[in-house]
Structure formats: structure tokens, C-alpha cells
Amino acid sequence: MKTTGLLVVAMLLLAACGGKQIEPNYYLLRPSAQIESRQLSPSEDFALGKITIAPYLDQPGLLLKTGEGEIRPARHHLWAEPMYEGVHSFLVKEISRAKGEDILPARLMRDAIVVEVRVDELHGTTDGRAVLVGYWWLRRNGEILSAYQFSESKSLSREGYQALVEAERALLEQLAEKIAASMVLPG
Amino acid sequence: MTTQRAEKDQGGGISAIWIIPLLALALGAYMVVYTWMTEGPEITITFNTAEGLVAGKTKVKYRDVDMGLVEEVRLTDDLEKVVAKVKLERQALPMLREDTRFWLVTARIGMGQISGLGTLLSGAYIELSPGAGAEGARDFIALERPPLTPTDAAGLRVKLTSERATSVSAGDKVLYKGYEVGRIESREFDPEKGKVNYVAFVDAPYHELVNSAVRFWNTSGISLTASAEGVKVRTGSLTTILAGGVAFGVPPGVTAGKPVEHNTQFKLYSDYEAILQNPFTYGLNYVVRFDQSVKGLLPGAPVEFRGIPMGRVERIMMEENLQESLVRDMQGEGDPIPVLLYLEPGRLGLPDTPQGVEYLQTGIRTSITNGMRATMQTGNLLTGAKYVGLDFYDGLEPATQGEHFGYTSIPSIASGIGQLEQKLATVLDKVQELPLETTVDTANAALGNLNQNLASLQKILDSQSTQELPADLEAMLEEIRIVVSGLAPDSDLYQSLNSSLLRLNKSLGNLEALTRTLAAQPNAAVMPSSAKPDPIPEVTQ
């Protein structure tokens, strides 16, 4: 009799614990342009070297700057792959597209000019903007040929994390175009 | 007839007859005075023998002028000598001084000269050589042989001392670079000091060549030296070879000294080589006590400072050591053996003066404080001849100079062959103590086991499975190569691993989020989450 009473109380408590389940949203960082089936035309002069991202970017949630020096990762709006993989894949495709020739990894191109990129900031802000700060440099056989800095922001077209992803993608496209424009053979 | 009457002369004058005796008296007085005024002095000269002396016949001459005559020859009261009473001319009176010399001139034949031939016909006579001392002397002792140098001759008289009698004798020449500049005047043996003393006279102006730095050596005979450079023969003139002689000069490398006075003492070296070996005048003695065998360490052995000769071993002071042991009644306790050294500052480039000796004393005292010690070194392995070496050594206990038998001491350490002998003896003792027989038995047993093991190993190596081992290894390496190639970035395994790592990374991210949630709300696992919803990025116009 006594045992039966305790089981009833436990069942009531467990029923009280149940709540509404929130499904997270996953976002993928890929170029917006359609990718065609074609034969690749590797660049003989340029290659893509190491791409690094700031450590705070290496987390699953999208990032929103809520105050000065304050970043808040989203709990329910997550990247579908590690941030590094997304940035790397995005830049390879976009630089190749902007340059007009396919840029291969540096380990495959021995004497090519190597482009190395570091993304320092990539997040949204509470005032409706996406921010991208990055650096890149051209190197050949350990010698730095030239170095550049990129710092741009873009307003969101609408509210929500989807718009934030689109804005960040647009900023990465601008960065890829700038990088491609800087990839010229030294005179 | 006329008678004459004698009358007394009342005039009273002296008879003229008295003139004669008065005249004779005056003449006599004159003769006495004259004789007293013109008579020469009467002297006595003592001779060893009366050979050649004849009373009333033997004359005394000065520069071949007769100055007197021997009036009487008689023996002394003790019958040991002969005294000649000589009546000299008054002219000789000023010559009679305390250092006036007389000698008998007879015919003499020597190695260097023949003299007095004239006396063969005229007979011997006594030669007088006036002195310069106080007047009034009347008794003289005759020289045995004629003086070689006049008393008033210009020059320098020096004294030479030799440890032993040499072929040098009175009358021998004194040479300077082969040129005769003087002579040996006398030679005497000093029984008290056991040394032979010579008096040498160097004529002016050559006496200016004699200074405090010159050395005198015996040039008699022939010096024959055989060395690695050949045979050297060093001689003086033929006369000096036969009759003996003394040469002097400044040794090579020695600067001229100061002028010397009459009767300055010099050492007469046995030959020129002896001077080359001991060219310095000033030095000082030290004593070193060796606590090891001194066999082979002979008097005259060199004392070297880092290979530079700076002196010699004088002698081993066994006599003093024995006396000390007797006094302390400590015989048989193995006291260190004292060795007397003679060190010369000139050999180290220091001035060959008393000041140089002081420099050397100060230098040795300071060096001992800084670790300088005396050691006995072997100079010749064949003959076993040893010498004393001075050098600096590290890691020594502090030592100071002591005093032994009146000489300052230099501390010593065992070194060289002696040290090697001690070390060798220690090693041999240790070798002797080793359990060689047991070790050899054990080694034999170990070798037997090793032999068996090698035979077993040979069997293993000869087996078929071992022979096939290289082929198996090669196959294994090929498989490893295939496996490694499967891990390349473009391999299936790499892709699979990469995919797994991505999933793992994602899971870790979720786990991190869960951890954060539980940290913020510990009951989040069973209770509804109270976390705030994600802030939504807004659009600002």
C-alpha cells in the first residue's frame, strides 16, 4: 500500500518535468552561386595556404555581439559544420570564382605564390549588422610579398539569424574578391 | 972671555913648539868629525845560509853602484840563521827604511830567464832595493830570491787563492788575452785554510784592466775538451804551457765591474772552463730536504727553475744531518736528507751584485707562497744523474721557508721518477691484492657459458624459420607501406577518420552546451529549461 503511493507521487513529478522541446536551426556557409559541373583549371601561379580563424569563432553557435567586448553564442542557431571548415570551403570556391581559375592547396603547388588568410572577427551585432575583419598575405618560399587588411560590415536585410548568415556570406564574398584582386604576379 | 948669562924670557908667550901637537889635535878632531860625518850606517842582514857571503869581500850594490861591504858573517845565537854585518856608505842612509829589501844576487837559471851571470866572475853581491816606509831601520831579513817587482813599481798587486796547488809558481807570467801584463810574485800555502795563496802583480797601465768582475785562471798546460761540437784545445803561450802562468779577463756575458784596490782577493780557477761554468760572483745557499732517495744527485748537479739553470748542488749535508740525529737521539727514523744548493742571481738575468742576491731571496720567498716547490728530477735516464728542479704546483698545502743548519730552506715535494715509482708501487700493490685467480676462474666459466650460448645461437640462425625471417620482414614492411598509404589525405581511411572527428567535434560542442546548461541550471536534465531564448538580430533603419 505504501509502495503504491510512492510510485504515484513519482509519476506525477515526472509528468510535471515534461515541456516543449525546441529544435535548433543549422546553417551552412556556402557560396550562393550555383556550382556547375566542369573540368577544373588549376592556377599555376597561385595556391591557397593556411586559413586560420580566431579561437572565439570556433564554436557551433552563431555569434552576436551584445555589448562592448561581449559576445553571445546562440543556443538554437548553430553552424552545421565547424566554423573553420565552412570558412575554408567558402573562400576556396569564391576566390577561385573571382580569380577565374581554380586555386589548389599549397601542398600540391611547390613553387606557387601562396595566399594565407586569417579571419579575426565574424559575427552579428544587436544593431542589425554583420561584421568581418580579416587579414591576408602573399608568400613565396617563406618570403612575404605583400599583406592586406579587410574590415567591413553589412546591414541585415531583415531580422533573424538567417539574415545574419546571408550578410556574413556576403561579407566573405567581398573578402574573396579583394583577395583575388590582390593576387597578381610581382613585376 | 965673555960670559953669557941665561935670562928668563919675561915675555911669557907660548912656545911655537906647541903648534905641532895642536895642529895634530885639530887634524885629529877634523878627521874624527869627518869620519863621523861621512861614515855610513852599519846594518845587519839575516840570511838562511851564508852561501856566497864573504866577509870583507861581498859588496852591497844598488843599481850596480857599490853601497857597502860585508864586514862580518856570523851565525845567530840560535844557530838557525846567518847574520851579515854590513857597513854601508852614508849615501845609502836614506834608503834604509822598514820595507827596504836585500837579497843575494847569484847566477840563477829558471824556466823564464837566466840572471846573474856576471856574478860567476865577480862573485855574489847583495842587492839593495830601497823602500818607502819609515826611516831608521837597521836590521833586515834578506829575500830568498830576487823580488820580481820593484817596490815602487807602478801597477796593481792582487791576491789569488786556489783550493789546491797548481803548476803556477812565483815568477810565472800574468797574461791578458795572451799578452804578458804582470807576474806572480809569490806562492804560499795557508795551512789553516788549506788553500794556496798567490800574489800577482799587474804592471801599469794594464792594471786598469783588473776590475771586480775579472776572473783569474790557470793557463798552465793544455785544456782539451771533447763535446758534441768537436774537440777543443785551449793553450797559453809555450812558456806558460811549460812554466805555468795565470790569465785574467771578464767572463762572457758579464759586465765589467768596479776598479779594485791593492791586495784585493780573487779566486784562482783551475781553468777557463771552470770560469764558464761559474761566471758569477754572488750567490747564496739554500737547503732542500728530500724525503726520498737522493741517489744520482751529485755535487755540481744543476739547479733549474723551469729548465733555466740558476745554480748547482753544493753537497749532501749528511754530516750535519747525522750530528743532528745524534743530538736528538733519533737515529733510524728516516729524516729527510738535506741538500745544500748554491743559487746565483746572475744566471736568471738579475744583477751579479749583493742587491741581486736580495732580489733572488725576495723572489724565492714570494714564489714559495705562490706554490713553488723543489723537486728532484732525472736528468739522464741512462746514467741516473739527477738535478733539482724548481717549479710551481697546484693543490699544495701552504708552506713557508724554514731554517736548517743555518741555511734558509726551500720546501720540496716528491716528483719525477720518484713520484712515478711511488705511484707504480701503489698500482702494483693494488694489482697484487686483486683476486686474479678467482677472477680468471669466473671468466673461464663465463667464457664456457658464452661458448654454449653462441652454439645455441648458431643453431637458431641456421634454422629454416630464421632464414625465412628477412622475407617475412620484407612482406611486413610492404603491408605497413600499404597501411600508411591508406592514411594519406586522399585515402578512404582518412576520409572516414575525418568524418568521425567532425562528428566527435560536434558531440563535444553539444556536450559543452549541456555542461553550460547544467552549470546554469543543475536540474535542467529533469526540469524544463529556464534559459533565455537566443537574442534575435534586429534590423535598424
Side-chain angles (χ1 to χ4, degrees):
Chain A
M1 188 65 187
K2 194 172 184 178
T3 306
T4 308
L6 286 173
L7 282 173
V8 170
V9 171
M11 291 297 288
L12 289 173
L13 284 172
L14 283 173
C17 291
K20 184 182 178 182
Q21 185 180 5
I22 302 173
E23 285 291 333
N25 298 308
Y26 291 98
Y27 301 93
L28 192 60
L29 200 57
R30 287 292 184 274
S32 55
Q34 193 72 30
I35 296 176
E36 302 171 345
S37 298
R38 60 179 177 86
Q39 184 179 2
L40 297 179
S41 55
S43 170
E44 295 180 356
D45 301 320
F46 296 96
L48 190 62
K50 193 160 56 176
I51 293 177
T52 54
I53 59 173
Y56 87 96
L57 296 175
D58 189 19
Q59 55 182 315
L62 271 70
L63 298 167
L64 203 62
K65 184 177 181 181
T66 55
E68 188 60 38
E70 183 179 342
I71 285 289
R72 177 161 183 175
R75 295 161 54 87
H76 305 295
H77 301 275
L78 309 174
W79 293 109
E81 60 187 354
M83 186 64 173
Y84 163 75
E85 295 287 345
V87 170
H88 188 273
S89 174
F90 191 95
L91 288 178
V92 167
K93 290 184 176 65
E94 281 301 305
I95 292 172
S96 296
R97 185 186 61 78
K99 184 64 180 171
E101 53 186 5
D102 293 304
I103 309 298
L104 298 183
R107 59 186 170 85
L108 302 177
M109 308 289 290
R110 175 160 298 186
D111 295 325
I113 296 175
V114 176
V115 181
E116 292 181 337
V117 184
R118 171 180 169 83
V119 176
D120 214 38
E121 293 182 25
L122 182 59
H123 55 252
T125 62
T126 51
D127 59 353
R129 288 184 303 116
V131 175
L132 172 59
V133 176
Y135 306 89
W136 77 96
W137 52 89
L138 305 181
R139 176 175 61 80
R140 179 156 63 187
N141 297 329
E143 180 188 3
I144 300 296
L145 301 177
S146 56
Y148 305 89
Q149 178 179 316
F150 179 88
S151 179
E152 293 291 341
S153 64
K154 184 174 178 60
S155 299
L156 304 187
S157 59
R158 61 184 185 282
E159 67 174 21
Y161 280 93
Q162 182 65 41
L164 176 59
V165 171
E166 289 173 1
E168 290 180 353
R169 191 184 293 145
L171 286 172
L172 284 170
E173 283 176 3
Q174 288 182 33
L175 174 63
E177 287 171 0
K178 294 273 188 185
I179 291 172
S182 68
M183 292 166 64
V184 291
L185 291 173
Chain B
M1 182 174 159
T2 304
T3 305
Q4 289 188 342
R5 185 184 171 208
E7 293 182 359
K8 187 179 178 180
D9 186 1
Q10 297 296 318
I14 298 172
S15 174
I17 196 68
W18 287 103
I19 293 175
I20 294 173
L22 287 174
L23 193 61
L25 187 63
L27 188 62
Y30 167 75
M31 289 179 68
V32 169
V33 171
Y34 177 80
T35 302
W36 182 77
M37 292 288 290
T38 58
E39 190 181 42
E42 196 173 78
I43 62 172
T44 61
I45 306 172
T46 306
F47 292 86
N48 286 333
T49 69
E51 182 184 1
L53 295 176
V54 180
K57 185 177 180 183
T58 302
K59 296 177 179 175
V60 175
K61 294 185 177 182
Y62 174 64
R63 297 185 188 274
D64 268 345
V65 176
D66 291 347
M67 300 298 291
L69 188 69
V70 174
E71 293 185 334
E72 180 187 344
V73 177
R74 59 177 175 82
L75 288 171
T76 56
D77 296 339
D78 58 1
L79 309 179
E80 293 287 329
K81 303 281 184 181
V82 174
V83 177
K85 194 163 85 176
V86 177
K87 186 74 173 177
L88 292 176
E89 299 290 337
R90 188 170 184 82
Q91 189 183 10
L93 193 60
M95 300 178 185
L96 298 178
R97 297 171 183 267
E98 61 179 7
D99 54 346
T100 299
R101 295 177 293 181
F102 296 88
W103 64 93
L104 190 68
V105 179
T106 58
R108 293 176 188 270
I109 301 175
M111 292 296 291
Q113 61 182 357
I114 299 172
S115 62
L117 283 179
T119 59
L120 291 174
L121 299 175
S122 63
Y125 64 89
I126 296 171
E127 180 75 34
L128 180 153
S129 175
E135 295 181 357
R138 293 293 183 267
D139 299 316
F140 301 91
I141 298 174
L143 302 177
E144 286 189 40
R145 56 181 64 240
L148 298 168
T149 309
T151 307
D152 56 348
L156 180 70
R157 188 167 280 107
V158 294
K159 292 182 177 177
L160 307 179
T161 304
S162 174
E163 295 289 336
R164 50 186 297 179
T166 63
S167 56
V168 177
S169 58
D172 288 347
K173 296 176 180 177
V174 175
L175 305 174
Y176 180 80
K177 295 187 176 180
Y179 186 76
E180 182 181 349
V181 295
R183 65 209 61 83
I184 299 293
E185 290 187 327
S186 66
R187 178 178 75 165
E188 290 179 357
F189 180 71
D190 185 349
E192 291 184 0
K193 295 181 180 178
K195 294 181 178 179
V196 182
N197 297 323
Y198 300 87
V199 176
F201 189 85
V202 180
D203 296 324
Y206 310 113
H207 70 288
E208 294 179 355
L209 297 169
V210 181
N211 56 60
S212 60
V214 301
R215 306 285 186 275
F216 288 83
W217 69 93
N218 184 4
T219 59
S220 307
I222 300 172
S223 170
L224 185 67
T225 307
S227 67
E229 298 174 355
V231 178
K232 284 183 180 176
V233 179
R234 190 187 299 275
T235 68
S237 66
L238 183 61
T239 309
T240 58
I241 292 172
L242 297 175
V246 168
F248 70 90
V250 178
V254 178
T255 54
K258 297 176 181 176
V260 297
E261 297 178 349
H262 275 292
N263 298 322
T264 301
Q265 192 89 28
F266 285 94
K267 181 180 178 182
L268 179 62
Y269 291 86
S270 58
D271 53 26
Y272 188 67
E273 297 299 328
I275 289 176
L276 293 180
Q277 291 172 4
N278 303 293
F280 300 102
T281 307
Y282 294 94
L284 73 165
N285 287 104
Y286 280 98
V287 67
V288 176
R289 303 171 82 221
F290 287 111
D291 197 6
Q292 63 185 102
S293 167
V294 294
K295 182 180 179 183
L297 188 66
L298 302 174
V303 178
E304 296 183 355
F305 172 70
R306 293 191 161 183
I308 304 169
M310 63 180 298
R312 62 180 181 273
V313 172
E314 288 271 295
R315 60 189 172 87
I316 295 171
M317 307 173 75
M318 279 311 297
E319 190 177 346
E320 292 89 336
N321 203 35
L322 184 62
Q323 288 177 355
E324 188 188 58
S325 296
L326 287 172
V327 168
R328 294 187 298 165
D329 194 17
M330 290 175 61
Q331 290 187 71
E333 291 195 0
D335 286 350
I337 299 173
V339 176
L340 185 64
L341 311 181
Y342 182 73
L343 307 183
E344 294 165 311
R347 292 185 183 272
L348 293 173
L350 295 170
D352 188 25
T353 60
Q355 195 177 18
V357 173
E358 292 179 8
Y359 289 158
L360 184 63
Q361 281 179 314
T362 307
I364 287 178
R365 187 166 55 246
T366 308
S367 298
I368 287 172
T369 308
N370 294 333
M372 190 182 78
R373 298 289 185 273
T375 58
M376 191 156 46
Q377 307 280 353
T378 300
N380 191 322
L381 287 173
L382 293 178
T383 63
K386 291 180 178 174
Y387 67 96
V388 176
L390 297 176
D391 207 338
F392 291 90
Y393 298 91
D394 295 327
L396 298 176
E397 293 183 0
T400 55
Q401 289 180 297
E403 188 165 327
H404 293 282
F405 312 123
Y407 298 104
T408 309
S409 70
I410 298 175
S412 70
I413 59 170
S415 180
I417 295 295
Q419 204 172 29
L420 279 177
E421 285 174 357
Q422 289 180 358
K423 288 182 179 177
L424 189 61
T426 307
V427 171
L428 288 176
D429 290 343
K430 288 182 178 176
V431 169
Q432 198 170 8
E433 291 171 0
L434 287 176
L436 283 179
E437 292 184 4
T438 310
T439 306
V440 169
D441 291 343
T442 309
N444 283 334
L447 286 172
N449 291 333
L450 182 61
N451 208 15
Q452 291 177 1
N453 292 336
L454 286 174
S456 303
L457 183 61
Q458 188 64 37
K459 282 183 183 176
I460 293 171
L461 290 174
D462 292 341
S463 66
Q464 187 178 357
S465 57
T466 308
Q467 297 289 334
E468 293 172 352
L469 199 55
D472 293 345
L473 281 173
E474 191 174 354
M476 188 185 296
L477 286 172
E478 178 63 21
E479 288 175 3
I480 291 172
R481 191 181 64 77
I482 293 169
V483 169
V484 170
S485 65
L487 291 174
D490 52 352
S491 67
D492 293 341
L493 182 59
Y494 178 83
Q495 293 295 330
S496 176
L497 278 174
N498 198 30
S499 175
S500 299
L501 284 173
L502 287 174
R503 282 201 297 276
L504 182 61
N505 196 23
K506 195 170 184 179
S507 299
L508 286 173
N510 293 335
L511 187 60
E512 185 183 356
L514 176 61
T515 306
R516 279 203 306 272
T517 302
L518 288 174
Q521 186 182 349
N523 59 353
V526 293
M527 299 297 286
S529 174
S530 60
K532 295 179 181 177
D534 292 335
I536 302 299
E538 297 177 351
V539 177
T540 56
Q541 299 298 324

